[in-house]
Amino acid sequence: MAKRPIQGLTKTRLCPPLSHEKATGLYECFLKDTIDIVGSIPGVTPFIAWAPPSDEVYFRQIAPGFQLLKQEGQGLGERLNYVLTHCSKVGFDQVIAINSDSPTLPGEYLSKAFAFLDDDTIDIVLGPTEDGGYYAIGWKRPNPRLISEVTMSTSHVLEDTLSIAQQECLGVSLLPPWYDVDEAGDLFSVRAEILANPSVGKW
């Protein structure tokens, strides 16, 4: 799930301490790192689901080899549901969507997500974030309630999603928790990780 970096519209919650120019440049690095992570997972068909205001030309340039899908819908929940449901309907047996705000996410977490979905007892997989949301959601068949009935960008997104999954009697597996970079305080997490392990976040 991605947007084209546009100054003044991208990562504005990081301003301050960052300028709008630096926040935009940082998000572009996050996006490229995420493309590298997804591209490293064997045996999958990688997509970028892009959202206006932008066009697919930009994404074709930074993600050669990825299929492109335009997000449809008014809010994040509608767009996420559209992307997951569309991919399921066109024939993919397992579909996982991830954000582009977790540039150091270990690729093995995504491989583990697909392995979880290989289990006949598991219907959905979620990757929790430290702020109460999730960095990834995956399923084997469309379950729109998991998204359409959840208010996104709150501290209880994961909790609400799990509650609906329980109501629907769905088998759930949780990936290891990770963080995403939304606010200024999150910059300390990504900075510390890159300093400790220079091999991550290469962009």
Side-chain angles (χ1 to χ4, degrees):
M1 303 290 289
K3 293 182 178 180
R4 180 174 181 170
I6 299 175
Q7 190 168 318
L9 297 178
T10 301
K11 287 296 176 189
T12 56
R13 283 190 284 171
L14 300 180
C15 308
L18 300 183
S19 66
H20 286 292
E21 180 182 5
K22 288 184 177 179
T24 303
L26 182 64
Y27 173 70
E28 184 165 49
C29 292
F30 289 178
L31 184 55
K32 290 179 178 179
D33 283 326
T34 305
I35 289 168
D36 285 349
I37 293 167
V38 173
S40 72
I41 309 304
V44 304
T45 301
F47 276 78
I48 287 186
W50 60 274
S54 60
D55 58 67
E56 64 182 66
V57 174
Y58 171 80
F59 295 103
R60 290 197 184 282
Q61 291 173 342
I62 67 168
F66 277 58
Q67 296 194 37
L68 300 183
L69 175 62
K70 182 180 178 182
Q71 299 178 29
E72 300 284 354
Q74 294 300 311
L76 175 59
E78 284 188 20
R79 298 196 304 269
L80 183 58
N81 182 51
Y82 171 81
V83 168
L84 287 166
T85 300
H86 172 85
C87 289
S88 292
K89 287 183 175 179
V90 297
F92 290 97
D93 295 326
Q94 299 179 356
V95 185
I96 297 173
I98 69 167
N99 66 24
S100 48
D101 300 322
S102 301
T104 61
L105 181 72
E108 57 263 33
Y109 286 13
L110 298 181
S111 296
K112 183 177 292 188
F114 285 106
F116 281 150
L117 291 175
D118 285 336
D119 187 330
D120 290 340
T121 67
I122 299 302
D123 300 294
I124 67 168
V125 61
L126 294 161
T129 51
E130 297 172 352
D131 60 4
Y134 52 74
Y135 60 81
I137 179 171
W139 64 32
K140 287 184 283 196
R141 62 192 62 84
N143 291 282
R145 281 196 67 204
L146 296 170
I147 302 169
S148 62
E149 296 186 19
V150 173
T151 301
M152 295 293 172
S153 302
T154 68
S155 61
H156 46 82
V157 169
L158 180 68
E159 180 183 352
D160 293 346
T161 306
L162 290 172
S163 176
I164 293 172
Q166 184 177 35
Q167 295 170 24
E168 294 289 321
C169 299
L170 299 174
V172 181
S173 279
L174 295 180
L175 297 167
W178 205 251
Y179 66 92
D180 51 11
V181 182
D182 285 324
E183 300 183 352
D186 301 323
L187 294 171
F188 294 103
S189 296
V190 72
R191 179 179 183 272
E193 188 177 1
I194 291 173
L195 288 175
N197 184 5
S199 66
V200 301
K202 75 172 188 178
W203 290 98

